[in-house]
Amino acid sequence: MKTKTLILTLIILQSFAIRSYADGIGIGLSAIYNPQTESFGADFRINFKPSKRLRIVPQVAYYPAFNKITEYYLGASVELRLIPIKTYHIYGLIHGAFNGWINYSEVLMKDAQYNNWNFEAGAGIVRSKGCWRPFLEYRYNVKWYETNLRLGILYVFGCNKKGFPSGGNRKRSAMSCPAYD
């Protein structure tokens, strides 16, 4: 019951954050694949932009019961945009999360338990222009020694109001620099 309350609280807080800081905030979904456990999952995320290079990304991920491992994650990433490539950015990330391993008792691992804390490090690439921003991430979980790949889409609110292109040409001011938009 505590877990469901925590998930609901996180979703409600994220909803208030979107309403309060709509310009530049993104929401996204991604499909997840874990090659070690051959599991598929999905995540929901909110992308906050405190600066041009830094992103704070609270996330909820779930691996459904049709997988060998059934679990969910509640956590947040810190992303640092490192290398711009035309309309894309390569970024590094670190991620901390609570992991609820639902079917841990079915697995014969020494340290298997329901409540876990995880740390992941990784990298990704994201489109840096427009309202719809596809992304691809690679992550490594240092607790379970496993990787996961995430392919998703992020929608950024207020992008038209801030001068981001949304399919048409935009007028540039004398001080505008497209490399840093």
Side-chain angles (χ1 to χ4, degrees):
M1 185 64 181
K2 289 182 182 180
T3 303
K4 289 179 184 177
T5 304
L6 183 61
I7 291 171
L8 183 60
T9 302
L10 183 61
I11 291 170
I12 290 169
L13 288 174
Q14 290 176 348
S15 298
F16 284 124
I18 289 172
R19 288 185 187 144
S20 300
Y21 305 102
D23 287 350
I25 299 289
I27 61 168
L29 296 171
S30 72
I32 309 168
Y33 177 66
N34 181 322
Q36 284 77 15
T37 61
E38 298 175 340
S39 299
F40 291 92
D43 89 0
F44 170 76
R45 60 182 63 200
I46 304 278
N47 192 301
F48 296 98
K49 178 183 167 184
S51 72
K52 286 195 178 273
R53 294 185 59 202
L54 186 67
R55 304 294 186 270
I56 308 296
V57 188
Q59 298 169 22
V60 177
Y62 180 66
Y63 289 84
F66 61 76
N67 293 300
K68 295 176 189 174
I69 305 293
T70 303
E71 61 189 343
Y72 64 89
Y73 291 85
L74 300 170
S77 294
V78 175
E79 299 175 0
L80 182 62
R81 295 196 173 190
L82 302 170
I83 305 168
I85 304 172
K86 295 189 179 186
T87 60
Y88 288 85
H89 269 92
I90 294 175
Y91 58 91
L93 69 88
I94 56 171
H95 179 82
F98 169 78
N99 167 232
W101 186 354
I102 297 166
N103 68 340
Y104 75 94
S105 61
E106 300 170 15
V107 179
L108 300 174
M109 284 182 69
K110 178 183 169 190
D111 296 329
Q113 59 184 2
Y114 180 81
N115 297 314
N116 300 282
W117 290 98
N118 291 311
F119 176 75
E120 294 176 330
I125 185 167
V126 64
R127 183 170 179 219
S128 55
K129 302 288 181 187
C131 295
W132 293 98
R133 299 181 183 189
F135 63 90
L136 177 66
E137 288 180 355
Y138 167 85
R139 296 183 181 194
Y140 180 75
N141 185 316
V142 298
K143 180 172 184 170
W144 301 115
Y145 309 110
E146 61 189 17
T147 61
N148 66 75
L149 298 170
R150 295 168 187 240
L151 177 62
I153 188 83
L154 186 69
Y155 179 79
V156 178
F157 292 95
C159 63
N160 293 332
K161 295 174 192 171
K162 289 188 159 255
F164 288 75
S166 62
N169 293 330
R170 72 174 183 171
K171 296 178 182 176
R172 298 190 189 276
S173 70
M175 297 300 290
S176 177
C177 182
Y180 296 100
D181 285 343

